[in-house]
Every structure is written in structure tokens, then in C-alpha cells.
Amino acid sequence: MTMHTNEEIFKRRKKIFYGTMLEFDMLLSKLKVVTENNDLKDKRVGIYNHCLKFYNCIEDLIVLSENNGSIQSLITLNRMIVDNSAILYLLTSHSTKNEQLLRYYLYLFDALKTRSQSLSDFFEKCSGLPPEPIYNNVISALEQDSKDMKQIIEMLTKGGIYDMVDPIIIEKLNWKFKLSKQE
């Protein structure tokens, strides 16, 4: 029976981790084709982008840990990775396909609403108008967000998945909802 030192165990786990990251990288490169239409209302595009964000958080964690980054930064990134894992699970694996789709649309709507609110708040707090290119980009983003949110509502009602849950869940954009046992 051989005894392994903590350093040997760490090196072995690090190799496994890097192998896993390499596989994740290859998977993302193969899935990149789904983003050709660049339409976030397509769940596959949104999930791909979420996985890419997830991957980038893991890469940042590696860089920080190998360069003696601050503990607080490592903890924050670690929390983001756990949150992204939970989100990915809810949007892709938990429950039925229709429930996953409903969650995805509520998640997307919530993100669009939050971004629009942030952009609007920024304008309200500015002492004057920003430079014209920035102003035009923000106005364009706000208009696009508004169109996308209307489309999402149409998709929810047209697909019949809107009626799966209590209207309060939809109203509050609660994509983390729990269905009762009867449903």
C-alpha cells in the first residue's frame, strides 16, 4: 500500500482538472455553430453563451489561483461558478422540456429587463447627455430589448407554456420557481 502526499494528490487532481477543461473547450468549439443565427431567443444560443461565460469564470479562477490572487477574488469566482452551474442545471436538466423552456424565457426576459433598467438608470444619473455614439448605442439597445421582451411574451403565450405556472411567477419573472407536487 502506497501513501500519497498532499502534493502528489494535488498534482493528480490538477491533471484531471486540466483534462476536463480541455474537453469542455473542445465541446464549446463544436457547439459554437449554434450561435451562427446569433438569436438569444433560440435557447441553444443562450445556453451556449451561458456555458462560455461559465468556462471563462473557470479560466479566471485558474489564472488567479496560479498567480496567488486574493482569497476574496477566488471566493467570488468560486461562487459565480456554483451559481452558473445551478442556472445551467435549471435551464437544461431539471424537469420537463417545456418547464426548461419557460425558465429560459423568464431568465432571458429578466436579463433584458435588468439591462434596460440599468441603462435607463445610467441616463437618469448623468448630468448631461453622453457622447452621441454612446447615446445612440444605448437607445438602440433599449429599443431592441423592448422588441425582444415583446417577442418573448408572444412566444410564451403562443407556445402554451405560459399557462404551466401561476401568473404571479410570470409577472415576477421568477425563473427559479418550484412547482407544487400537484402540477
Side-chain angles (χ1 to χ4, degrees):
M1 183 163 154
T2 59
M3 299 268 303
H4 296 289
T5 65
N6 284 342
E7 190 172 330
E8 288 171 332
I9 293 170
F10 176 76
K11 285 179 182 179
R12 189 166 14 104
R13 288 183 178 163
K14 190 173 178 179
K15 283 181 186 179
I16 292 169
F17 178 76
Y18 281 115
T20 303
M21 285 300 292
L22 183 59
E23 286 183 27
F24 194 13
D25 187 45
M26 290 186 309
L27 175 67
L28 284 174
S29 66
K30 289 179 182 178
L31 292 175
K32 187 165 178 39
V33 72
V34 303
T35 64
E36 288 174 358
N37 71 8
N38 203 24
D39 182 5
L40 284 178
K41 291 178 292 302
D42 180 343
K43 183 180 171 196
R44 297 172 306 159
V45 173
I47 296 301
Y48 170 80
N49 287 333
H50 188 80
C51 286
L52 192 58
K53 180 174 74 171
F54 183 41
Y55 180 84
N56 290 334
C57 286
I58 296 170
E59 278 190 324
D60 291 344
L61 182 69
I62 293 168
V63 169
L64 269 175
S65 66
E66 289 180 345
N67 292 300
N68 296 319
S70 76
I71 296 295
Q72 187 59 46
S73 297
L74 291 168
I75 291 169
T76 300
L77 274 170
N78 208 19
R79 174 58 195 245
M80 287 172 62
I81 290 166
V82 169
D83 287 347
N84 281 317
S85 296
I87 291 167
L88 192 59
Y89 173 73
L90 275 177
L91 299 179
T92 62
S93 302
H94 181 74
S95 69
T96 67
K97 294 293 178 195
N98 279 342
E99 186 181 319
Q100 292 170 23
L101 192 58
L102 174 60
R103 284 182 195 283
Y104 176 72
Y105 288 142
L106 291 174
Y107 176 77
L108 183 57
F109 195 100
D110 187 35
L112 291 167
K113 184 177 177 185
T114 300
R115 180 174 78 164
S116 291
Q117 189 62 51
S118 295
L119 291 172
S120 295
D121 290 349
F122 172 76
F123 268 155
E124 285 178 20
K125 291 179 179 146
C126 284
S127 58
L129 285 178
E132 189 174 343
I134 293 173
Y135 177 82
N136 290 339
N137 285 343
V138 169
I139 294 301
S140 177
L142 288 169
E143 289 170 353
Q144 188 61 49
D145 286 354
S146 179
K147 287 178 190 175
D148 288 343
M149 286 188 279
K150 286 177 186 172
Q151 279 187 321
I152 290 169
I153 294 298
E154 288 173 13
M155 292 163 66
L156 284 170
T157 54
K158 187 187 290 183
I161 56 177
Y162 189 91
D163 299 325
M164 285 178 51
V165 293
D166 188 312
I168 292 173
I169 289 173
I170 305 289
E171 183 181 311
K172 292 185 177 184
L173 302 174
N174 181 8
W175 54 272
K176 301 172 203 171
F177 65 86
K178 293 178 185 175
L179 290 177
S180 66
K181 299 261 189 241
Q182 296 101 13
E183 297 178 80

